[in-house]
Amino acid sequence: MRTQVGIIGAGPAGLLLSHLLHLRGISSVVLERRSREYVERRVRAGVLEQGTVDTLVAAGVGERLLREGLPHEGIELRYGGAAHRIPFEKLVPGRRITVYGQQEVVKDLIAARLEAGGDLRFEVDDVELHDLTGAPYVTFGGDRLDCEVIAGCDGFHGVSRPSIPEGVLTVFEREYPFAWLGVLARVRPSAEELIYARNERGFALHSMRSPEVSRFYLQVPPDADLADWPDERVWAELKARLETVPGFTLETGEIIEKGVTPMRGFVAEPMQYGRLYLAGDSAHIVPPTGAKGLNLAVADVNALTEALAAYFATGSAGLLDGYSAACLRRVWRAQHFSWWMTTLLHTFDDEDAYARRLQLSYLDYVTSSMAAATTLAENYVGLS
Ligand code: FAD
Ligand code: DHB
């Protein structure tokens, strides 16, 4: 079997790349380890930057997103018993974010690929990458796929990055001393906008998916076990961390999904080796506080599409050669922003009273200085 671009992974990065390449007349095959049902149900990100929405709409997969997505013109920072709004409409006029579940993006992309006759293979075993600096090919479940280029879109735990010989990549990594417990609940959102709450008990985030479904996150110890978090404890902890301003009551309901995500920052440089190009979480991870992971994956895929389109149209590899450098600038800006939001809002076991005072002082600065609030707003909605 032969294709122009062999794509490993059917997450947002791999699926969007396959779709954008199709629109440019470039063939691809997507190889995914999990089942279609599994990837369509995997609950993860929810915040789409304007640029991500624009990309999906321009690619013809934004119809449901425009109908069901929830546009937001601000977020709330909650700490010290008060609510502070960061108003995007005032600080970054004309730019906003849209709340729409990642698995909905994945569903829309899978539907579009299948409708166009795209070649998506689910539940493929034993994917291996070969001859990356020569004539690359992929083997899987007894089959072989010859490609001109391979796109490694298989996330942080995939096979693509580890297929690059030792010594080629430089890895930068930061582990955080906590994880996020994510919860999806059948209950109407208790607020109209996202609430990022800094609390002595730990960070909490109130988000949403629809008028009937809310999404929450709690800072928990890095080794937290779901067995220790029965629903009653989740609600009690969310209430303790979020019901800290007068008049706010957290609505509770049936919890339909629960998961623990470790927090780390990670970048592998360069994002390419021979004819293998990495995109999305396979090359970099951010702590989720800045809501950047999915948006970075989409930005990588946009850059890779342009580079591949130029390559297949003219044979010129200039853009492909510069792919990693072009992406890494944005990746590091997002790393910094995500680290900054994380340190601003979480509690750290080893921090002393001085460090806590500094954190509160910084929060006061961010919520009272136009310059500081604008820094938050323009990074949050996405630097172009
Ligand atoms: P993935 O979504 O990880 O997709 C990789 C795919 O490759 C998967 O389907 C996997 O099954 C497949 N795969 C893996 N190994 C193999 C193999 N060996 N062979 C074949 N296939 C393989 N980002 C935001 O922008 N905003 C947010 O609000 C946000 N919130 C988040 C909240 C949580 C709880 C989590 C966990 C993440 C969040 N993120 C957020 C990050 C975002 O979900 C990721 O950055 C995004 O999923 C990256 O997409 P991807 O396609 O690169 O990787
Ligand atoms: C969501 C996830 C995030 O990481 C974030 O910063 C904001 C919202 C969400 O899943 O809704």
Side-chain angles (χ1 to χ4, degrees), residues 140-160:
F140 59 98
D143 259 321
R144 171 178 169 138
L145 176 66
D146 288 280
C147 327
E148 291 183 51
V149 164
I150 298 176
C153 302
D154 45 352
F156 186 67
H157 300 288
V159 291
S160 298

Side-chain angles (χ1 to χ4, degrees), residues 126-140 144 150 163:
D126 306 324
V127 170
E128 284 182 35
L129 281 51
H130 308 271
D131 203 7
L132 296 174
T133 53
Y137 63 97
V138 184
T139 53
F140 59 98
R144 171 178 169 138
I150 298 176
S163 304

Side-chain angles (χ1 to χ4, degrees), residues 7-15 31-35 38-39 42-49 52 102 106 121 124-128 152-160 180-182 194 196 205 207 209 215 217 259-262 279-298 300-301 380:
I7 300 177
I8 319 299
L15 290 166
L31 303 175
E32 165 63 47
R33 188 175 52 167
R34 304 283 194 170
S35 68
Y38 183 93
V39 299
R42 192 165 41 195
V43 184
R44 282 190 174 171
V47 172
L48 309 188
E49 294 175 356
T52 298
Q102 175 170 325
V106 164
R121 316 262 172 121
V124 301
D125 290 325
D126 306 324
V127 170
E128 284 182 35
C153 302
D154 45 352
F156 186 67
H157 300 288
V159 291
S160 298
W180 273 18
L181 172 69
L194 271 61
Y196 286 80
L205 172 58
S207 181
R209 285 295 177 268
R215 176 83 168 140
Y217 297 98
V260 175
T261 309
D281 278 17
S282 72
H284 43 72
I285 297 278
V286 283
T289 327
K292 287 287 164 251
L294 170 62
N295 295 295
L296 278 181
V298 169
D300 287 353
V301 164
Y380 193 83

